[in-house]
Amino acid sequence: MTLLELLSRNDRFAANSGCILKEIREGYARAELVVTPEHLNAGGVCQGGAFFTLADIALAAVMNCHRGLTFGIENNIMFLHSAKAGDTLIAEATEVYNHHKIPYVDVRITNQHGDLCCVVTGLAYRKDTALPIDGLM
């Protein structure tokens, strides 16, 4: 099983929210979400939790790409541009620092036009537990 398969199957919340992991490389991951009416808040734009869930699955892919079980411990999110139903959001997560215990990752979420919508930073804790994977994709 690959990391992409493991996360796609086992992160049921992200999958049920419509988030799809598209690519995982060492130090990089990309995930996408098509915004539906179910993702909208009372103001008629994409709810912040949808942005965070998309960023979170991309963060998980990058933080676990070194094959050690890693969990997020702190995240910061900044909303820059709203999204509406029909938009496609693309989260690109990049490893900034691969510390053996506390890795750091940045995520940039853009829409289908390339507009920067959201920025997320994340710290994680890497356990001494190997992931049961054969590769990344």
Side-chain angles (χ1 to χ4, degrees), residues 67-106:
R67 300 178 182 180
L69 183 61
T70 307
F71 294 101
I73 57 174
E74 180 181 344
N75 293 288
N76 294 299
I77 189 165
M78 181 176 19
F79 302 104
L80 303 168
H81 189 280
S82 62
K84 60 188 182 318
D87 283 346
T88 298
L89 298 177
I90 301 108
E92 292 185 281
T94 306
E95 182 177 76
V96 175
Y97 186 60
N98 179 29
H99 186 272
H100 69 283
K101 284 291 183 191
I102 311 288
Y104 173 72
V105 173
D106 283 340

Side-chain angles (χ1 to χ4, degrees), residues 15-133:
N16 289 332
S17 297
C19 300
I20 301 170
L21 272 170
K22 295 287 192 168
E23 181 180 359
I24 304 172
R25 303 188 310 252
E26 189 169 311
Y28 174 85
R30 183 172 51 88
E32 295 182 7
L33 170 69
V34 175
V35 179
T36 68
E38 289 75 25
H39 294 111
L40 302 183
N41 63 20
V45 296
C46 187
Q47 213 271 348
F51 279 100
F52 185 80
T53 300
L54 179 62
D56 190 54
I57 193 67
L59 280 163
V62 171
M63 291 176 173
N64 285 282
C65 76
H66 299 289
R67 300 178 182 180
L69 183 61
T70 307
F71 294 101
I73 57 174
E74 180 181 344
N75 293 288
N76 294 299
I77 189 165
M78 181 176 19
F79 302 104
L80 303 168
H81 189 280
S82 62
K84 60 188 182 318
D87 283 346
T88 298
L89 298 177
I90 301 108
E92 292 185 281
T94 306
E95 182 177 76
V96 175
Y97 186 60
N98 179 29
H99 186 272
H100 69 283
K101 284 291 183 191
I102 311 288
Y104 173 72
V105 173
D106 283 340
V107 182
R108 294 170 53 93
I109 299 177
T110 57
N111 64 16
Q112 71 274 15
H113 304 295
D115 299 320
L116 183 60
C117 298
C118 182
V119 177
V120 178
T121 59
L123 287 174
Y125 180 75
R126 186 167 290 138
K127 299 181 68 135
D128 291 327
T129 304
L131 285 173
I133 60 173

